[in-house]
Every structure is written in structure tokens, then in C-alpha cells.
Amino acid sequence: MEPGNLTPESKLLTAKYKERGTVLAEDQLAQMSKQLDMFKTNLEEFASKHKQEIRKNPEFRVQFQDMCATIGVDPLASGKGFWSEMLGVGDFYYELGVQIIEVCLALKHRNGGLITLEELHQQVLKGRGKFAQDVSQDDLIRAIKKLKALGTGFGIIPVGGTYLIQSVPAELNMDHTVVLQLAEKNGYVTVSDVKASLKWETERARQVLEHLLKEGLAWLDLQAPGEAHYWLPALFTDLYSQEITAEEAREALP
Amino acid sequence: MAILLSQIVFIEEQAAGIGKSAKIVVHLHPAPPNKEPGPFQSSRNSYIKLSFKEHGQIEFYRRLSEEMTQRRWENMPVSQSLQTNRGPQPGRIRAVGIVGIERKLEEKRKETDKNISEAFEDLSKLMVKAKEMVELSKSIANKIKDKQGDITEDETIRFKSYLLSMGIANPVTRETYGSGTQYHMQLAKQLAGILQAPLEERGGIMSLTEVYCLVNRARGMELLSPEDLVNACKMLEALKLPLRLRVFDSGVMVIELQHKEEEMVASALETVSEKGSLTSEEFAKLVGMSVLLAKERLLLAEKMGHLCRDDSVEGLRFYPNLFMTQS
């Protein structure tokens, strides 16, 4: 119906049309309610047969998540959703979220809030204990994606075939990210490395590295041969790092 | 100590149980006559078990399965020892027992595959039904849009709760199933009760991440999703509860006790003035809050003109804003 210039007849038609619209929506809501009940039954049946499969088989979990995404459903959106309640996927991922947060918090003094997915995986498994359900890296990524809803802080940065997980709201733009990726090879970069690989001017390279220093993501090594090395603790492997507490870390600094 | 991958017939997982670790059972071909000397010359069993005391069996199983699928050794020159990896060598007498075992394993593998494919099949059927729900919700949402305000609040609430159950994003507002369901209202009231004391212990403010951990650890099961928490917190102010959600410019989200902001900023200024200047870390330690929130409070005080900053490689330090007070 065209707005404006409505004759009384057409106004009546519009009103009737809208009224029909009301009835139609109510009908559809009633229909949705019925279908929802049916779906719930189907899901219960599925759960009784395959709930264990989801719990135990990470491949199946991936399939499940992908299919949900394809049709436009988020099984992890709410703990009150059917998927969560009946398949138990919710508790699995939400608890994992808590464990991820705790690991990141515990290691923040060392790596400034940046950690490789591998190390996170290892630490989470350690924390979960021997008898807990095993989790895959895919599970971690999905849990982290959900955590993003809690405000800035969690980020996933691809570097050299794996990922760095950021757990503090440091501002990292493309320049910072690309330098992190460069550092992945040796665990450190120098200004010259950055200039050579990325073809940047000295000033740009220095600014990026100083930002990483300020955010606590990089450590400055002035005693390295040649020029200053900027180390990324997040990229240290067990070979190079040792377990030190926050206290020791503070005392070690001048 | 090593075994050629070509020796493997079949692998299967055994889940962990009480008092036993997770295992991968590796069924092997009979040892070739010219096998290298090893810990045992022979064994009654045709399989070995790999025990995973702590974790790792999933990754290991996945990679081993991949290798078993790819069978790269078939393309490699037979430089190492012998052995094709299928069937018996021509001319060798094969014990019937082993053939029987291999057949059983093959059957078991087919059945496991069938179980998994049955699960996938059931899952696909389920998804078809779920998709119908999504389509229906889109159609309803369009009707709602057309009516533009003629829809009753009751209908909206019903619709939103349906979306919540299915995990469908609200097609009208684009928020995930839309905030403001009954569930979230109840949740908001619960949170107000649970968080009062912890907030007071922490200077009146907590990041949403802290709240998420605190609440879920306390619940133990039937945990909240991050979105549940956010959507409930969004309703705190509207429900006139004594706490509220606040989003800082940086995107950091916190829960804070109402009416405390001016107090908190004033006390921050006092603390900084006492000490001459403070970094976020120093302030956090003094006040007993997390560095993240300490930084936000100092930034807020700066925004309001009470503090000014000294930004260097050594860090960010805040001073009382003497430009304002001593003009």
C-alpha cells in the first residue's frame, strides 16, 4: 500500500491487511511453538544415542559445529539453549573458557598476555588433570571466540602456521601483528631484521618494537651481540624459558 | 625403539576410565623373519598398547590415523627392511588364527565406521529440522518488521525466547537471540545478589572476564555462556539494580556498583597526589585491584581532567593535573 494520499477505502484495506498480518504472525508463532516442541523431542532422541559421541570425539564436535554454523544456529549462544541443555556442549565450552582465562592470567606476568596456542593447550590440559575430558586445539579456538563477547581482550593472531592468543586488550594493529609473525622464527627480532624483511624505514620499525615493549609483550636485550634484540616471551619454547614466579620476575628487573 | 608404520593393520582407541589411562591399541602384522632385535624376540599378542597417562591420545590418534590413510611408505623406495603391508607373502603358510583375527578387526572397523556414520546421518537429519526452524523464525521476523510496532510485547518476548532455545540470532536486531528475555531478567537479578560482596571487596568494580569466572566457578554446572552474562548485565540498569554494566572506550567491559564513580575517581586522585605520581601497576598494588581496571580508572580520571600522563618507554605514569589546579 502506498503511504500518503490514502482514501478512506484504502485506509480500511490497509487496516484489514495489517490485522491479517497480526493474525498471520500469531499463527506462525503458535506453529513455531509446536515445531519447537517437536524439535526438542528429536534433539532428546539424538542426545540419548549420540551424546557420548560428542563428548568424546573432537572430530564429531567439529562436524557438529560446522553444520550448525551452516544453517545459522549457534549452539553455544546460551546455556539455556536446547543444544546446551540436552547435548551438554555448553558446559564443556564454557568451562573451557574459564580454564583458558585462568591460564592466561597466571602466565601474564611472563608473556605480557600473549601465548601460543600450543602452550595454552599444554597448560590447559595440565590444569584439567588426568581424568578430565581431553580437549583439542579446535575446542580451544571455539571457546576463545565465545569469550570475545566479554569485551575486548581476547584475540587470535595467526603466526607461521599456528596462532598466538592475546588475552589482554593491548592495541595491536597490522604492523604489530606482522612483526610478531616475523619474530616467530627465532623468538626475537631486531630493527635490522624488520627493515630487511618488511622494507620499512627505521622509524616505523622502532615505533612498532617500542610499542610491543611498552605493552609488556617484548623484552629488550641490550647485551646481545650486534644490535639490541627484542624478545617475545610468548614465543619462547620450553627449551629457552624457565618457570619463574611473578615475584622473581619483578626482582630480576632493575 | 621403533616399529615401521607398514607393520600396522589397524588402530583403535580405548577411552580412559577410573584407574586406567587412555590407550591406543595398535594391531600389527606378524613380525617379518628378518626383524631387528628388540626388547622382545617374540610375543603371543598381535598388538601393542600405547598408554597415555596424562593426555595427548587424541592428537596422537589423529596423526596416526592420517598416516594410516596416506600410507606414504607405499610410495617410498623399499630401502629399509622388507615387507609389503597387505596380505601374506606368496609361498608363506599363514596361520588361520591370524587371518581370522584380521577379519574380525575389519568387521569391527566397519561397525565403528557405521556407528560414526550413523551419528553423522542422524546429525544431518536433525540439522534439516533445525534449518526449518531458522526459516520459520526469519519469516516471523519479517512479519514483525512489517508491523513496525503493532506487535505486542508479549509476542516479542515469546519470539525471543524461541530464538534463545534454538540459538538463532535475532533477525530483527541482529543481536544473538536478542537481549531481554525473561531468562536474562532473572539472571540479572541473581547476579545482583551474587556480585554485591565480591564487588565491594574489589573496590566496587570487576571486569566482565572476572565476573564470568567467578560466577561459573560458583555454579559448577549449568554454566552461563559469555553472551548470557553480557545480555543479563545489559539489563541491570534498566531493572534498577544497584550494579551496572559499563563499557570503556577501550572496549573493556566491567560491572561496577552504581553511584560510586565520582567517589572512585576522587579517591584515585587522592592516592596519586599522595604518592606524587603512579603507574597503573603501582596503583593496582596500592588499591588491591587488577592492573587492567586500575589503568581504566586512571584513564577515566585523566579524561575528567584530574590527572595527566607521562608516556615513555618506561611506561605510562600519571600525575595530578597541576595545569588545572594551579592556573
Side-chain angles (χ1 to χ4, degrees):
Chain A
M1 289 277 140
E2 316 279 309
N5 224 351
L6 292 175
T7 64
E9 287 81 17
S10 59
K11 269 194 195 157
L12 181 62
L13 274 173
T14 318
K16 281 211 166 151
Y17 183 69
K18 275 196 167 169
E19 200 187 290
R20 271 207 86 204
T22 317
V23 172
L24 281 176
E26 254 173 43
D27 274 353
Q28 280 196 308
L29 274 180
Q31 183 190 0
M32 187 163 187
S33 173
K34 239 176 38 174
Q35 269 186 252
L36 215 58
D37 283 339
M38 264 192 349
F39 183 80
K40 196 171 169 194
T41 314
N42 289 328
L43 185 55
E44 268 166 355
E45 207 188 301
F46 179 84
S48 67
K49 287 208 289 187
H50 303 298
K51 185 171 177 174
Q52 285 308 310
E53 199 64 47
I54 292 204
R55 258 179 30 95
K56 295 199 176 157
N57 187 342
E59 305 286 340
F60 193 53
R61 275 202 293 277
V62 172
Q63 282 284 344
F64 168 73
Q65 296 272 20
D66 285 347
M67 284 175 127
C68 285
T70 309
I71 63 170
V73 159
D74 183 359
L76 299 181
S78 171
K80 209 66 171 107
F82 286 161
W83 308 97
S84 186
E85 287 187 329
M86 275 177 254
L87 291 179
V89 275
D91 279 7
F92 177 82
Y93 285 98
Y94 307 148
E95 185 180 15
L96 192 52
V98 174
Q99 289 162 347
I100 291 170
I101 292 172
E102 290 178 341
V103 165
C104 289
L105 215 59
L107 296 176
K108 194 168 69 153
H109 68 272
R110 179 156 57 123
N111 57 33
L114 209 58
I115 188 173
T116 58
L117 185 57
E118 273 78 28
E119 192 179 351
L120 180 63
H121 192 200
Q122 256 181 1
Q123 298 283 355
V124 166
L125 287 178
K126 224 167 45 174
R128 281 168 76 91
K130 290 190 200 186
F131 302 111
Q133 189 65 43
D134 204 352
V135 300
S136 66
Q137 287 185 359
D138 181 84
D139 292 328
L140 289 177
I141 298 273
R142 286 188 201 273
I144 292 169
K145 284 188 179 160
K146 280 288 138 197
L147 289 177
K148 287 189 180 201
L150 298 175
T152 55
F154 276 93
I156 303 175
I157 304 172
V159 295
T162 176
Y163 296 97
L164 280 177
I165 307 300
Q166 182 187 349
S167 61
V168 288
E171 284 167 33
L172 295 183
N173 59 29
M174 281 304 301
D175 275 6
H176 304 122
T177 310
V178 89
V179 166
L180 286 176
Q181 290 166 339
L182 190 60
E184 200 256 344
K185 222 175 12 154
N186 295 321
Y188 71 88
V189 279
T190 62
V191 173
S192 310
D193 288 340
V194 173
K195 283 171 68 176
S197 303
L198 303 175
K199 311 276 185 280
W200 288 357
E201 320 238 305
T202 312
E203 195 47 41
R204 184 177 175 186
R206 266 206 300 121
Q207 271 197 25
V208 167
L209 290 171
E210 281 188 8
H211 182 84
L212 293 176
L213 259 187
K214 249 180 45 178
E215 293 289 345
L217 301 175
W219 291 359
L220 182 60
D221 176 11
L222 294 170
Q223 293 173 336
E227 62 183 295
H229 285 25
Y230 291 79
W231 292 87
L232 278 302
L235 300 172
F236 288 174
T237 62
D238 282 355
L239 278 174
Y240 303 128
S241 69
Q242 30 160 203
E243 282 299 317
I244 57 174
T245 62
E247 283 305 311
E248 289 168 331
R250 262 194 292 274
E251 278 158 34
L253 296 170
Chain B
M1 177 165 27
I3 292 182
L4 293 177
L5 289 176
S6 51
Q7 289 288 103
I8 301 179
V9 177
F10 170 63
I11 56 176
E12 57 178 337
E13 290 180 283
Q14 275 180 9
I18 315 270
K20 56 184 182 113
S21 56
K23 296 193 177 48
I24 293 181
V25 184
V26 183
H27 297 271
L28 302 167
H29 284 288
N34 56 345
K35 95 169 177 75
E36 302 285 322
F40 289 98
Q41 261 312 99
S42 66
S43 165
R44 262 186 311 153
N45 300 313
S46 64
Y47 61 85
I48 58 173
K49 284 191 183 183
L50 306 174
S51 169
F52 293 80
K53 278 207 149 41
E54 301 245 332
H55 284 292
Q57 89 271 17
I58 290 187
E59 275 301 308
F60 189 85
Y61 184 78
R62 185 174 69 81
R63 289 182 197 222
L64 190 52
S65 306
E66 259 177 52
E67 291 300 324
M68 294 301 297
T69 314
Q70 286 179 19
R71 305 187 88 87
R72 288 186 284 171
W73 56 86
E74 284 177 3
N75 303 329
M76 296 209 295
V78 185
S79 49
Q80 314 144 315
S81 39
L82 39 28
Q83 203 61 317
T84 52
N85 29 28
R86 319 276 195 134
Q89 299 281 36
R92 262 180 78 192
I93 301 169
R94 224 167 140 88
V96 170
I98 294 188
V99 168
I101 289 175
E102 284 189 340
R103 213 173 276 149
K104 247 199 227 156
L105 289 178
E106 184 64 27
E107 273 172 33
K108 180 147 191 228
R109 186 167 58 83
K110 285 209 185 112
E111 194 181 315
T112 312
D113 281 350
K114 191 169 76 88
N115 284 342
I116 297 200
S117 37
E118 188 189 329
F120 282 142
E121 234 183 79
D122 287 348
L123 182 64
S124 307
K125 289 191 200 143
L126 192 69
M127 288 299 165
V128 167
K129 300 204 171 75
K131 178 118 177 104
E132 285 169 18
M133 304 295 300
V134 175
E135 297 303 315
L136 184 53
S137 71
K138 281 193 193 148
S139 149
I140 295 179
N142 283 332
K143 291 258 164 12
I144 293 179
K145 231 179 358 175
D146 285 344
K147 281 169 40 165
Q148 309 237 19
D150 272 14
I151 186 170
T152 69
E153 191 164 319
D154 190 54
E155 287 171 341
T156 314
I157 292 181
R158 270 169 70 197
F159 184 51
K160 280 182 179 172
S161 78
Y162 296 161
L163 294 177
L164 175 69
S165 303
M166 285 298 301
I168 299 172
N170 189 331
V172 180
T173 65
R174 297 259 153 263
E175 295 166 38
T176 332
Y177 61 79
S179 54
T181 69
Q182 295 281 43
Y183 171 61
H184 295 112
M185 283 207 292
Q186 285 167 0
L187 201 46
K189 294 179 190 155
Q190 276 176 30
L191 287 173
I194 299 171
L195 296 175
Q196 185 78 26
L199 277 170
E200 296 195 353
E201 281 167 30
R202 289 165 177 73
I205 190 168
M206 283 172 77
S207 74
L208 219 52
T209 327
E210 287 174 85
V211 173
Y212 177 76
C213 289
L214 191 104
V215 171
N216 274 340
R217 279 268 175 245
R219 282 171 85 107
M221 36 185 271
E222 288 182 17
L223 305 181
L224 301 183
S225 75
E227 280 150 273
D228 284 336
L229 184 61
V230 172
N231 284 307
C233 291
K234 282 184 180 165
M235 304 189 79
L236 288 170
E237 199 153 6
L239 291 174
K240 309 232 184 302
L241 294 163
L243 1 156
R244 67 166 174 200
L245 176 68
R246 191 216 186 99
V247 184
F248 288 118
D249 295 339
S250 59
V252 171
M253 293 167 84
V254 299
I255 300 295
E256 57 181 17
L257 292 171
Q258 290 254 32
H259 311 305
K260 280 269 189 147
E261 182 177 293
E262 273 164 37
E263 257 181 64
M264 302 196 293
V265 168
S267 91
L269 175 57
E270 220 182 281
T271 315
V272 174
S273 306
E274 260 173 53
K275 298 285 178 182
S277 73
L278 288 174
T279 63
S280 314
E281 288 81 13
E282 292 163 354
F283 182 61
K285 205 160 167 193
L286 274 175
V287 177
M289 64 169 34
S290 72
V291 176
L292 180 68
L293 296 183
K295 186 170 178 190
E296 290 297 340
R297 186 166 294 175
L298 292 173
L299 287 174
L300 184 62
E302 179 194 35
K303 196 166 164 185
M304 294 170 75
H306 299 302
L307 296 177
C308 54
R309 65 168 59 192
D310 174 20
D311 205 348
S312 69
V313 164
E314 289 172 24
L316 181 57
R317 187 167 279 277
F318 290 90
Y319 291 78
N321 186 356
L322 299 176
F323 296 109
M324 279 260 284
T325 55
Q326 291 182 2
S327 49

